[in-house]
Amino acid sequence: MTEQLHQITVTVNGVTRRGETPARRLLADFLRMDLGLTGTHLGCEHGVCGACTVLLDDVPVRSCLIFAVSVDGHAITTVEGCCDPGGELGPVQQAFQECHGLQCGFCTPGFITTITAYLEENPKPTEEEAREAIGGNLCRCTGYQNIVAAVLRAAEILNETQIKSEREAPHE
Amino acid sequence: MSEKLVGQPLVRKEDPRLLRGDGRYVDDLGRGALAAAFVRSPNAHARIADIDVTDALDVEGLVAVYTYEDLPGRVAEPLPLLIPHPDLTHPRTPYCLAKDEVNHVGEAVVMVVATDRYVAEDAAERIVVTYEDLPPVVGIDQARAAQRLVHDEVPGNIAARSVQTNGKGDAQEAIAAAPHRLSLDLQIERSASMPMEGKGVLAHWDADDRTLRVHTSTQTSTSVRLAVAAKLELPPDRVEVITPDVGGGFGVKIMHPWPEEILVPWAAMKLGQDVKWVEDRREHFISSAHERGQQQHVEVGFDSDGRLCGLSVEIWHDNGAYVPYGIIVPIVTSTQLLGPYKVGAYRVEFTSLYTNTVIVTPYRGAGRPQGVFAMERTMDAIAEYLGLDRLAVREANLIQPEEMPYDQGLVFQDGRPLIYDSGDYPTMLRMIRELVGWDGFEAERAAAAAEGRRIGIGIGAYVEGTGMGPYEGAHVKVETTGEIVVSTGLTTQGQGHYTSLAQIAADVLGVGVADVTVITGDTRRFKYAVGTFASRAIVTSGNAVAVAAGKVAEKAKRIAAAALGGGADPADLELVDGTVRRRDDPTASIDLRTVAVLSNPLRYAFDEAAKAATQFAAAVGTGDEPGLEATGYYMPERSTFAAGAHGVVVETDPETADIRILRYCVVHDCGVVVNPRIVEGQVHGGVAQGVGGALYERIVYDDAGQLVNASYMDFLIPFATEVPHIQTAHMVTASGVNPLGLKGAGEAGVIPTSAAVASAIEDAEGLSVRRMPISPSELYELRKTRTTRETRKEQVSA
């Protein structure tokens, strides 16, 4: 028996991508195997570790628990899409490097996407809130302390960037 | 001379790539490769009666199905015993695919290859294996009782029995003659490394070139290469093994060759197509190694100051169904148990036992957490018995700095004498006393008690042998672009070697870290290595990089002296800011990249650097070798000993028995520090795993040998919300063994955590904790059996 393929259209990191996929193909596998976006990693394939977290219409979801066909017509952001438009490290990525928030780097993409969405919601978290915000992602290397610091630092960078762009914006 | 880079907390060179999603882990490679999946045993102990693959053959996209019967030659032989030992009298290792019998749930029985993983699993699901059940041996009690056997021909389930004494008299006699005696029965449960990336193997066979290329998520690519070559009967020079980015190791990936590391390359050769296997999480739980499970019986004799006269320890170690990695873990427990202490006459005996469970090989700490648990529980028990301060008892037994190097009188895991090279343990305990607030704690306890809260303080100290041999090597090359390429054979799985090794090379060659590219774990670039485990990488490869870079610097000076003329002696030159120049006249200078051009007697002007070099007549002398490059090795005489102490304050809920860590402090000594930022990160990560091992993580088998919590839903790795903020303080006693003065840091954080947390819970509760990890429900039950220290506990809760 040949598996039936379904046409889907997804906006991934701002680019419209079309693909043919079997109904059972996971979103994570579609991103990795069909689109070659291997920054999204699979750590447990049962929705606990969070390494595969991507943003579905700006909301963090586990791409190991979603079928690719079910995101037809939606927008996905992966870790590759968390860079600055110029390709430089984005604010959260920059903060991770500054704070040594990663070691092996395998869980990191899931943290980057999760934190990117979180700071939209809460741009000035306390340390306690920062810890809570990453409480759904597993990391086996860092002990989380430097990731908590990276959340706070990313908030600072975002804040600085915002102030700068407001200053540079022409006054009415 | 610019400031030394060694010692600076530089940000990591490897981060931007990993942060952009441009890391390349094994599953990110080999698009279009065939996929392998395995049918694994659902039974802990059984005979294989029949394997029926008929139904699988209809699956579209199926490429091949292999059972043991299909395996040829050496692939069909049992996997190697990596580290034999005279006391390992009954070694048993597994086959790549089970032959006749399975000995644990998860053992591979059938290999399926298909066009993709989905299809491979479809086919695997349709394969019917008929088993005849055999009674399983689960847990140390059953293994010791030996009513049932894991391997028919291994009496008592005993793989190994080993005794060591420290040559300081008969331990039993010393204990009997001591003013006071105590005995303790202790237990540590099973856990596992659990890297976020499981194992994975990708193989490519080039039939025209007769070359096999294997990518594997390992902690030792060089050794996997030799294993694959031997098993597939290929000349080693036809096999390349590359370790791409690795998503954590923590020990489980130093075990090798895993069955899949042989089977996947074998299938790729046989099929003439690329084959890939990537372990899923459940597979990792039921077929990759575990560690920690031990029972211990301690007898100790001591004087009225708590000073040890004699110590006798018996250990029963659960090694799982096979012992391919030998008996390293119980050897480490037996020897590292001593920690920073002088124990008088010491005798240790361990029995390594087979059970019908997943194999046991080193997990970060590698037997040390168990040893430290035994020693530190003993210290606390002595303090309790004598009514002394727990820190005072430890201080009474410390090895003093002036006694270094200190010979513990035992043989260490590397087969060399257990001689501590350096350390200042009294200072270490003084620092942890201050950091954790030991002296002011009674006031803190009283204040908490006044609010109806119950808190306790605990401590754990350890000594860790690191940087063991036999060797590591490095190749350092200056390109004509000025780029320095450093290749070392050992692998990296998050420890920041691309940065720390660059710091070492950059200092020797007078360049910046941005000029240095580090390559690890690629046998095409460097063939000789041991691997990244046992807190050895920075010590062994770090010193090897310094040796190789030193040779390059010498050669650069020789060539530059000739090029600069004017009677310059190489000894008068120095390497600074990417140039080689005269110390007495810095204007007499030549770019290092130009020296690299000069180092090749054949130089066509392909690039600007070559053109710039035409003004210099000199090149390498006859008798020298072309290329500004060198290979260097570091072979330690023996291990170098790091140390540390952890202090922890916990709160236990009087009603629910919930256990919360309020404060976690670490004093850490790993000798000269190359990159403090990286070391700090290693300590944090180790403590997080230690907290997991103390309060949350345990591998649970039922009586039938089923692993009942084989998922992240049930095996509780701490999230950020479970790991406390960690306060660290560092001290430096340089290694007396290696030129750079380095000691390893990778495992440190995890080693005394269970011991320290147990100590704090005992202190909070006024009862004896003899088994870790401990859950709230276990603490709740323990309260019901309370027999000691009733009085103080009553005061506290009053």
Side-chain angles (χ1 to χ4, degrees), chain B residues 589-607:
Chain B
S589 147
I590 180 170
D591 283 349
L592 192 58
R593 72 177 74 182
T594 308
V595 178
V597 177
L598 296 175
S599 73
N600 186 348
L602 177 70
R603 47 181 200 269
Y604 300 120
F606 289 133
D607 55 20

Side-chain angles (χ1 to χ4, degrees), chain B residues 20 29 68 73 80 160 163 190 213 279-280 306 364 428 512 541 711 741 770:
Chain B
R20 281 196 180 90
L29 308 170
Y68 175 80
V163 176
R190 258 191 194 218
R213 179 178 300 167
E279 187 178 59
D280 69 25
R364 196 179 203 170
M428 184 174 87
S541 268
S711 87
R770 295 287 179 258

Side-chain angles (χ1 to χ4, degrees), chain B residues 300 312 360 402 511 516 531 606 623:
Chain B
V300 61
S312 175
V360 168
E402 59 273 17
V511 298
V516 184
F606 289 133

Side-chain angles (χ1 to χ4, degrees), chain A residues 29 98 103-104 140 145, chain B residues 12 25 118 677 697 726:
Chain A
D29 286 339
E98 283 180 29
Q103 290 181 26
C104 80
R140 196 59 162 162
Q145 192 156 320
Chain B
R12 302 198 317 171
Y25 304 83
Y118 289 74
R677 183 188 301 265
E697 296 169 13
I726 301 153

Side-chain angles (χ1 to χ4, degrees), chain B residues 102-362:
Chain B
V102 288
N103 280 304
H104 66 84
V105 169
E107 190 163 0
V109 180
V110 185
M111 179 185 191
V112 177
V113 183
T115 47
D116 76 18
R117 179 64 178 256
Y118 289 74
V119 177
E121 290 190 19
D122 286 345
E125 214 165 66
R126 292 172 170 223
I127 291 168
V128 181
V129 183
T130 310
Y131 297 95
E132 290 166 2
D133 285 357
L134 296 167
V137 178
V138 183
I140 293 174
D141 287 338
Q142 281 189 12
R144 284 175 69 178
Q147 299 292 310
R148 304 163 174 179
L149 296 179
V150 176
H151 303 286
D152 286 341
E153 67 294 3
V154 178
N157 293 312
I158 297 169
R161 180 165 272 157
S162 184
V163 176
Q164 281 210 60
T165 55
N166 65 352
K168 291 171 187 166
D170 184 287
Q172 290 299 348
E173 283 175 16
I175 295 164
H180 310 283
R181 283 169 296 280
L182 277 173
S183 70
L184 294 83
D185 289 294
L186 303 166
Q187 195 180 333
I188 294 266
E189 293 191 51
R190 258 191 194 218
S191 187
S193 301
M194 285 297 147
M196 297 308 295
E197 181 211 30
K199 306 199 306 290
V201 187
L202 166 67
H204 169 79
W205 170 242
D206 185 329
D208 299 321
D209 196 38
R210 296 201 59 75
T211 307
L212 180 67
R213 179 178 300 167
V214 180
H215 284 83
T216 177
S217 187
T218 183
Q219 293 174 229
T220 175
S221 49
T222 43
S223 210
V224 171
R225 169 174 171 260
L226 298 176
V228 168
K231 278 286 182 189
L232 302 185
E233 298 178 66
L234 290 167
D237 274 349
R238 308 320 292 172
V239 181
E240 302 164 347
V241 175
I242 301 146
T243 306
D245 288 316
V246 173
F250 313 113
V252 65
K253 296 175 185 176
I254 189 59
M255 169 56 212
H256 68 283
W258 287 96
E260 299 87 357
E261 285 176 322
I262 303 300
L263 292 170
V264 171
W266 169 72
M269 284 180 73
K270 195 173 165 66
L271 297 169
Q273 293 187 72
D274 293 2
V275 178
K276 180 163 77 172
W277 167 75
V278 174
E279 187 178 59
D280 69 25
R281 188 51 55 184
R282 179 168 167 77
E283 281 187 293
H284 188 81
F285 270 100
I286 64 173
S287 68
S288 288
H290 304 157
E291 212 236 273
R292 301 282 196 257
Q294 277 183 6
Q295 292 178 1
Q296 303 160 336
H297 176 73
V298 179
E299 290 182 17
V300 61
F302 49 97
D303 69 17
S304 298
D305 296 325
R307 215 169 273 123
L308 269 65
C309 309
L311 179 69
S312 175
V313 180
E314 260 186 289
I315 298 163
W316 293 270
H317 173 80
D318 175 356
N319 61 226
Y322 306 103
V323 282
Y325 204 81
I327 48 174
I328 287 299
V329 173
I331 290 174
V332 171
T333 305
S334 308
T335 49
Q336 298 264 266
L337 184 145
L338 298 177
Y341 308 115
K342 294 179 278 193
V343 300
Y346 177 55
R347 179 184 189 276
V348 60
E349 172 177 342
F350 73 74
T351 307
S352 193
L353 295 157
Y354 289 108
T355 57
N356 288 111
T357 59
V358 170
I359 62 168
V360 168
T361 67

